[in-house]
Amino acid sequence: MRVVSGIQPTGNLHLGNYLGAIRNWVRMQDEGECLFFLADLHAISQPHVPADLAANTREMTAALVACGVDPDRSILFNQAQVPAHAELQWLLNGTARVGWLNRMTQWKDKAGKNREGQSVALFTYPVLQAADVLLYQATHVPVGEDQKQHLELARDIAQKFNNDFCPEDAPLFTLPDPIIPPDTARIMSLRDGSAKMSKSDPSDMSRINLADDADAIMQKVKKAKTDPEPLPSEAAGLEGRPEANNLVGIYAAMAGTSVADVLHQFGGEGFGKFKPALGELLVEKLAPINARFIELTQDSESLDAILAKGALKARDLAGPTLSAAYAALGLVRG
């Protein structure tokens, strides 16, 4: 089992990133070979500030390591240090089809009505995603609901390349399978229970950042949007109460228990009692991550060394597949 997954370095990780993806990355280190990368090449598909991208890449590396991604057990790197990602994307551009990319819902969402004004990189973003996983012969890729379509595209590209350029009994690319962990938590905004917790939300009060200290966490939980009703005793009672459902879900995910168990403990109580308990739980669980994160961000040389070490391993692993792809296409290399 070889797992490959990436995350864009767009600033601090928040609780939604941690419970929705990163905690599962940490668990996967016990299940197979893992490659985790900072998707800085993807980040330039939209307007960005170069200095911020460099700083965010290091900052997110610190956050991942603080959360438990171990550079000695996994391969942790940033795309820009492994040119094979961009090279394989170009080779796969000959196999990918414009019609396939036009159907990508994320392209439609991100481009909006101004498609002509978008970068080519934004349009071909899914081909780079395909290269990211096919390059390493990934067997499994963790995906959320919004990325399932992109993984299906990667499989389509791999299948067409294998059919067009490889002997029937010797396909080049492995077709990766999705991993959708059953316990993945979908964490919503603290200000709007119908919207996902997001880095792009202009209100910092909408999210718990992994870099937040204890006071900030308690303050954000205290001010989180709720309704006037007490908590129900059963999960069915959370229907139609998105903010209450979100806070109870966060408590359950952080405590490693079920929503039913949380409601058994707090059913009938108001948020005046539940919010402090939730805040204390978050502080307890996130304090070690916060302390390690702060320590790492103060040592940029160590962060650069982690990325360089991972990139060296990734380049070695990527080399044979990239060479085979060149050869399959009839391209002569020195």
Side-chain angles (χ1 to χ4, degrees):
M1 180 176 178
R2 179 176 289 167
V3 176
V4 177
S5 190
I7 186 169
Q8 280 206 42
T10 52
N12 268 349
L13 289 173
H14 55 70
L15 186 66
N17 300 130
Y18 176 63
L19 293 176
I22 307 307
R23 189 168 64 169
N24 285 313
W25 283 15
V26 174
R27 292 169 178 166
M28 287 172 195
Q29 295 178 121
D30 296 323
E31 299 171 6
E33 184 179 17
C34 295
L35 292 93
F36 301 127
F37 63 90
L38 288 302
D40 48 2
L41 294 181
H42 285 291
I44 67 171
S45 64
Q46 294 184 296
H48 73 287
V49 178
D52 289 349
L53 177 56
N56 288 342
T57 299
R58 292 187 179 93
E59 187 176 281
M60 190 159 283
T61 302
L64 292 175
V65 173
C67 286
V69 174
D70 186 347
D72 291 326
R73 298 169 61 207
S74 300
I75 299 176
L76 178 62
F77 64 99
N78 60 303
Q79 283 174 308
Q81 293 199 61
V82 186
H85 285 253
E87 289 185 67
L88 185 58
Q89 181 198 18
W90 182 254
L91 300 185
L92 295 179
N93 277 340
T95 297
R97 292 294 180 260
V98 170
W100 297 353
L101 297 178
N102 267 326
R103 287 194 290 272
M104 296 294 105
T105 55
Q106 283 207 14
W107 156 247
K108 297 174 184 177
D109 292 343
K110 291 181 179 180
K113 295 180 179 179
N114 184 27
R115 294 190 185 184
E116 297 297 319
Q118 301 302 323
S119 72
V120 173
L122 184 63
F123 184 64
T124 61
Y125 181 111
V127 185
L128 180 55
Q129 282 193 321
D132 294 334
V133 298
L134 300 180
L135 184 61
Y136 300 105
Q137 305 293 347
T139 61
H140 294 82
V141 178
V143 293
E145 287 296 323
D146 58 344
Q147 291 294 330
K148 287 173 66 176
Q149 189 184 33
H150 285 185
L151 185 60
E152 290 166 3
L153 176 71
R155 289 173 58 90
D156 288 343
I157 291 172
Q159 187 68 67
K160 181 169 174 54
F161 190 102
N162 289 341
N163 291 342
D164 291 352
F165 302 111
C166 303
E168 188 174 342
D169 61 344
L172 172 56
F173 294 118
T174 300
L175 273 60
D177 290 320
I179 299 177
I180 304 176
D183 60 343
T184 296
R186 182 176 171 84
I187 305 303
M188 312 306 281
S189 166
L190 299 181
R191 310 302 297 164
D192 179 2
S194 64
K196 280 183 68 175
M197 187 175 287
S198 171
K199 304 169 199 167
S200 60
D201 192 311
S203 173
D204 191 59
M205 296 299 290
S206 70
R207 58 189 168 268
I208 302 291
N209 301 305
L210 298 188
D212 285 343
D213 61 21
D215 289 342
I217 291 172
M218 294 298 293
Q219 184 75 355
K220 289 179 178 182
V221 172
K222 179 182 177 182
K223 294 198 171 185
K225 184 179 178 182
T226 53
D227 57 49
E229 299 299 321
L231 287 173
S233 298
E234 297 181 354
L238 293 172
E239 188 173 345
R241 301 176 63 185
E243 284 78 25
N245 186 54
N246 184 42
L247 295 185
V248 171
I250 291 173
Y251 192 106
M254 293 302 292
T257 188
S258 67
V259 167
D261 286 341
V262 177
L263 294 178
H264 179 74
Q265 180 180 354
F266 291 99
E269 300 287 353
F271 286 100
K273 179 175 180 180
F274 181 70
K275 280 184 174 182
L278 174 59
E280 290 169 9
L281 176 65
L282 286 167
V283 169
E284 175 192 349
K285 297 292 185 180
L286 296 179
I289 293 175
N290 178 268
R292 180 66 171 140
F293 172 76
I294 292 172
E295 177 188 355
L296 287 164
T297 53
Q298 294 172 350
D299 189 354
S300 59
E301 288 186 6
S302 292
L303 295 174
D304 288 346
I306 287 171
L307 293 174
K309 173 186 172 183
L312 180 61
K313 293 178 181 178
R315 289 195 295 269
D316 287 344
L317 203 58
T321 296
L322 183 65
S323 294
Y326 272 104
L329 292 169
L331 296 167
V332 179
R333 304 173 81 200

